[in-house]
Amino acid sequence: MTPPKNEESSRLGDEEIKLNAGFLGKLFGDKNNAPSNIAGCILLLLIGMSIYGTLFELKGVDSSELWKFTVPVINLILGYLFGKG
């Protein structure tokens, strides 16, 4: 028994999308959402790194210096994410 035409074309379309996406496409999504998803991942990493550095006082890194670096980058990413809409 052969599948109906619309199911077969839908399945082939899904396979084509998966092949075009590649590894990073599977991780971050399609080309429309990938920049926002990547920026969000970087934002979470920076916030996590800064909180970790503040709570556990890393050797050789002053927490105020860490925040002086990360706050402008966090603001830049937030501006990108909210200004993109």
Side-chain angles (χ1 to χ4, degrees), residues 5-84:
K5 271 290 198 207
N6 60 357
E7 284 183 29
E8 184 177 333
S9 63
S10 174
R11 184 176 50 82
L12 290 175
D14 290 343
E15 288 179 17
E16 183 179 353
I17 290 171
K18 287 179 184 177
L19 287 174
N20 288 335
F23 174 73
L24 292 178
K26 291 177 186 175
L27 186 63
F28 293 116
D30 63 351
K31 65 181 177 181
N32 296 327
N33 297 327
S36 298
N37 293 341
I38 292 170
C41 288
I42 293 171
L43 177 69
L44 291 175
L45 285 172
L46 281 174
I47 291 173
M49 178 185 72
S50 298
I51 291 173
Y52 180 83
T54 301
L55 293 177
F56 297 108
E57 298 180 7
L58 300 174
K59 290 183 180 179
V61 179
D62 185 31
S63 64
S64 64
E65 291 295 320
L66 184 64
W67 283 105
K68 282 182 187 178
F69 168 74
T70 56
V71 167
V73 177
I74 289 170
N75 285 334
L76 179 72
I77 293 171
L78 288 174
Y80 171 76
L81 290 174
F82 288 109
K84 187 177 177 189

